[in-house]
Amino acid sequence: MLWKTADYTGWGRALHAKGEIARPERRRALDDILAAGLAPAIGMRRSYGDAALNDGGRVIEMTRLDRMLSFDPATGVLEVEAGARVGEIAAAFGPKGWLPAVMPGTGFATVGGCIGQDVHGKNHHHAGSFCQHVAGFTLITAAGPVEVTPEATPDLFRATAGGLGQTGVITRAKLRLHPCKGDVMVVTERRVEDWDEHVARLDASEATYTVGWIDATATGGALGRGILEEGETGSGLMPKRVRNRKVPLDAPHFALAGPVVRAFNAAYYRRVPPSGRTVVKPIGDFFFPLDRIHDWNRLYGKRGFHQFQCVVPLEAAPALRDMLETIAASGLASPLAVLKRMGPGRAGHLSFPMEGYTLAVDFPNRAEARELIRRLEDRAADAGGRLYFAKDSLAQGTSIRAMYPDLTDWQEEVAKADPSARLATDLVRRLSLRSAR
């Protein structure tokens, strides 16, 4: 039986869907499924909201189509099936001196999902977005298979990169891996005392990989304090191995209460000495730190959580500071808050990045937190910024056209590739992305 009815969620577990899911293990099985018509393709469902949900409809889970097909060491081009996971590619090729050029914050993200969101990583200020390093992919549209490349089919490439899976089903892709020095990371960690220092250090960083952890509970003169991490690949060093853990059950509602989060954040800030330190880590521990805690989303309890992530232009940094001040005063933030400096690189019409600063903060799924996020979304729009579809679960779409000025170009290509809108997902419908507003 190809299709099975199931209940499923995004990573945030706040939004739910029920529908039929197919899990093909071979391309022939996928072809049989698509012969009856297109359906949205999903991966590991690491998007936090409803980007991979199709309530009442069908989805094709691509995670079993995860083979690495070929690698050319002369060019660094790796061909994989769409369900291959970024962390597995890094683990396989890091010891050989190659890494995916761009990696998101979880190694469980599939290549197809990374293309559909045009994800970014800790090196966006240098390397740009994921799809800027994709040489091409095979896409099944309503009219049949198409070999898509930036050179031969630029319009379809730009509509698919960051295009939320709305142009077709990606079956395989060619990635341009980047050379690396080895399979460990040499990481310098420094305390950052406040917002101004945090932004200044991000601006001045020349490291290949840079990320800032923010204590989103700190207020007053400590607003924006945190830890800056700068990393480079290395070899011949013995990293400290950290044992993976699993969250066995949903945490009680008080596990992330305000006093608990403030105490944890204070301790986490102090874990780095005032003078800073340099440590050696396995590649996975640096790029995918939360993957060590399997099912960490259960820490937010059965109701789940939402994340607010926006990017604002460089000149709007004061507006982002004001947003952080509002978050800190609310007492609703979790320990998971990240600040990064982004460059201009983006590959698609709906790609999230712009040159500026991106702030991401998790919140428990509570009424007051949902209201706060909606206010933050409005302020991000007023600052000339945009929201990240991979994290969004609450926006209503009223500001999307201003945030994504290439939306009309994307809609035109999507209408050609999927005229019957069989690939529409809950997120696409919620934000009315495929219809003119």
Side-chain angles (χ1 to χ4, degrees), residues 273-317:
S275 59
R277 67 182 181 184
T278 297
V279 296
V280 179
K281 298 182 179 183
I283 277 180
D285 287 2
F286 176 73
F287 289 106
F288 322 122
L290 288 174
D291 287 356
R292 298 199 309 266
I293 309 172
H294 294 296
D295 298 331
W296 63 262
N297 54 350
R298 301 186 72 177
L299 291 170
Y300 290 91
K302 292 182 179 180
R303 290 181 293 184
F305 71 100
H306 300 280
Q307 185 179 101
F308 168 74
Q309 182 169 5
C310 74
V311 60
V312 301
L314 295 174
E315 63 273 15

Side-chain angles (χ1 to χ4, degrees), residues 49-290:
D50 51 358
L53 307 187
N54 188 23
D55 191 33
R58 289 179 162 183
V59 294
I60 305 169
E61 186 189 287
M62 303 287 286
T63 55
R64 296 175 180 175
L65 294 167
D66 61 353
R67 297 161 185 83
M68 300 182 200
L69 303 172
S70 66
F71 178 66
D72 183 351
T75 62
V77 173
L78 170 69
E79 185 172 18
V80 298
E81 291 183 313
R85 290 174 269 288
V86 170
E88 292 175 354
I89 295 173
F93 284 88
K96 300 176 183 179
W98 299 92
L99 283 177
V102 171
M103 290 185 280
T106 173
F108 291 111
T110 63
V111 168
C114 289
I115 294 173
Q117 294 285 359
D118 194 19
V119 299
H120 59 275
K122 297 176 176 67
N123 61 343
H124 186 270
H125 53 305
H126 293 312
S129 63
F130 186 88
C131 290
Q132 291 182 280
H133 306 275
V134 172
F137 48 82
T138 302
L139 183 72
I140 310 298
T141 71
V146 182
E147 296 300 322
V148 181
T149 69
E151 299 80 19
T153 54
D155 293 338
L156 187 55
F157 186 92
R158 284 193 292 270
T160 307
L164 305 170
Q166 297 303 292
T167 57
V169 175
I170 298 169
T171 61
R172 56 175 62 191
K174 293 181 179 180
L175 312 179
R176 290 189 291 268
L177 304 188
H178 274 204
C180 66
K181 296 177 182 178
D183 61 347
V184 299
M185 295 297 299
V186 181
V187 183
T188 299
E189 301 174 323
R190 295 185 180 90
R191 286 188 190 180
V192 180
E193 293 187 359
D194 58 26
W195 172 265
D196 289 339
E197 184 186 358
H198 220 139
V199 170
R201 285 191 177 273
L202 286 171
D203 287 344
S205 178
E206 297 182 355
T208 302
Y209 302 97
T210 308
V211 62
W213 170 79
I214 287 266
D215 178 358
T217 67
T219 58
L223 181 75
R225 77 173 180 181
I227 297 168
L228 185 75
E229 294 188 359
E230 298 176 296
E232 303 289 349
T233 58
S235 63
L237 302 167
M238 186 63 67
K240 180 181 179 181
R241 300 287 173 177
V242 179
R243 199 175 103 189
N244 289 346
R245 300 186 181 276
K246 181 179 177 65
V247 180
L249 45 80
D250 295 323
H253 67 88
F254 58 79
L256 291 175
V260 175
V261 174
R262 285 192 293 273
F264 175 87
N265 282 8
Y268 191 80
Y269 176 74
R270 290 194 298 270
R271 74 179 179 84
V272 173
S275 59
R277 67 182 181 184
T278 297
V279 296
V280 179
K281 298 182 179 183
I283 277 180
D285 287 2
F286 176 73
F287 289 106
F288 322 122
L290 288 174

